[in-house]
Amino acid sequence: MNSEASYHLRRQVLWGLVLVGLGVAFLLDQMDVFDIRSLWHYAPLLLVVVGINQTIGYPSAREFSNGLWTVFIGLWLFAVLEGLWGLTFGNSWPLFIIISGITMAIRPIAERRFGQKGGDGHGK
């Protein structure tokens, strides 16, 4: 199985498992076994899972850097919404400058290692 086919298979499996998990949670909520509202503050962590999925077995350097951004936004939202380390929407904007720099520094390394274009044709 080539890299692109493996990537798409893993992506489909991930989304299938996410849907199964959501369905089970909603079913348990409807049966009064579990209160789903207690899980909503973990919702940004779904972005982390999606981002990690983009970075593992990625078809291009662009997918890798997009995955890093998705992981960062998920972690940032979780930290801000939970009030971790005193972060708020107003005082944490410099983190976006930092992650932009990290992404700019990593993309050429990833392009050299894995090629500029992946199977999705989005590479620069």
Side-chain angles (χ1 to χ4, degrees), residues 7 9 42 46 63 74 80 101 108 111:
Y7 172 76
L9 175 67
Y42 293 112
L46 284 175
E63 278 290 321
V80 168
E111 284 176 351

Side-chain angles (χ1 to χ4, degrees), residues 8-52:
H8 290 294
L9 175 67
R10 189 182 65 256
R11 193 177 208 170
Q12 187 173 355
V13 168
L14 172 74
W15 283 112
L17 291 175
V18 167
L19 286 175
V20 168
L22 284 172
V24 167
F26 284 124
L27 179 65
L28 292 175
D29 185 52
Q30 290 297 314
M31 297 170 61
D32 291 328
V33 174
F34 184 74
D35 184 20
I36 198 167
R37 287 176 288 183
S38 65
L39 291 179
W40 283 116
H41 62 87
Y42 293 112
L45 297 179
L46 284 175
L47 288 173
V48 174
V49 171
V50 170
I52 290 171

Side-chain angles (χ1 to χ4, degrees), residues 61-80:
R62 178 179 217 110
E63 278 290 321
F64 182 76
S65 61
N66 289 345
L68 288 180
W69 267 104
T70 306
V71 168
F72 165 73
I73 290 173
L75 290 174
W76 173 75
L77 280 172
F78 182 73
V80 168

Side-chain angles (χ1 to χ4, degrees), residues 54-120:
Q54 284 180 312
T55 60
I56 298 173
Y58 47 89
S60 69
R62 178 179 217 110
E63 278 290 321
F64 182 76
S65 61
N66 289 345
L68 288 180
W69 267 104
T70 306
V71 168
F72 165 73
I73 290 173
L75 290 174
W76 173 75
L77 280 172
F78 182 73
V80 168
L81 293 174
E82 292 295 312
L84 299 177
W85 307 295
L87 292 176
T88 65
F89 287 106
N91 71 7
S92 61
W93 62 266
L95 292 172
F96 284 90
I97 296 171
I98 294 168
I99 195 68
S100 294
I102 290 171
T103 303
M104 288 176 70
I106 288 177
R107 186 178 280 181
I109 296 167
E111 284 176 351
R112 207 162 70 164
R113 171 71 170 91
F114 299 102
Q116 289 184 345
K117 291 194 178 197
D120 60 359

